[in-house]
Amino acid sequence: MSYNHGLEEKKFKEQWQKTAEEYRKAGMTEKQIAEIYEFDREVFNSNRRYREKTVGVFDNSNSRTLTVYDDYSTNNRYGWIDEIEDMEVYSQIMSLPEIWREAFTMYIFDGYTQNEISSILLRNQSNISRVIDKIAEILRSQFSNA
């Protein structure tokens, strides 16, 4: 069974709404709740990265399971997204259309020019330029907030 990020994200958010309400009833401040949320979110993302990069192989002959972990983020075209530590920045990037992330990846990591990307993705070159600038601006905010 493969990892379904959308489903896991939904479960995480639903559970956290319940948990946050319990914390409020227990008298915790919103700041304290936010700090715990940030920690839990980092754990969730770590688990997400692990599960997305882990393949389980089941052997029916003797009921054993072999798990192979592949840390391919340096070879993965989208590994740059996995490396984003700031949850707000990660959320902003993931909320963008997939074609924007593809255009940015093609430009920064694959070495295509904006004109080449424009031809491949069938988008106007000026739109490609704006997309690349927008994502770069979002990513710069990660480092300016650090």
Side-chain angles (χ1 to χ4, degrees), residues 25-95:
K25 288 178 183 176
M28 293 179 73
T29 67
E30 290 301 315
K31 182 180 178 187
Q32 292 170 323
I33 294 170
E35 289 172 357
I36 295 172
Y37 173 83
E38 286 301 316
F39 175 79
D40 284 354
R41 189 65 195 194
E42 287 177 24
V43 171
F44 174 82
N45 286 336
S46 177
N47 290 338
R48 170 188 55 86
R49 286 189 295 271
Y50 175 80
R51 292 199 51 204
E52 287 176 344
K53 296 176 184 179
T54 302
V55 177
V57 180
F58 186 71
D59 178 4
N60 286 331
S61 63
N62 57 11
S63 300
R64 287 188 294 186
T65 301
L66 169 69
T67 301
V68 179
Y69 179 72
D70 180 16
D71 186 7
Y72 62 89
S73 62
T74 56
N75 296 326
N76 178 356
R77 292 182 71 242
Y78 300 101
W80 63 274
I81 296 173
D82 292 336
E83 299 301 319
I84 298 172
E85 295 177 359
D86 184 316
M87 268 319 300
E88 185 175 326
V89 171
Y90 176 82
S91 295
Q92 286 177 328
I93 295 295
M94 291 308 292
S95 70

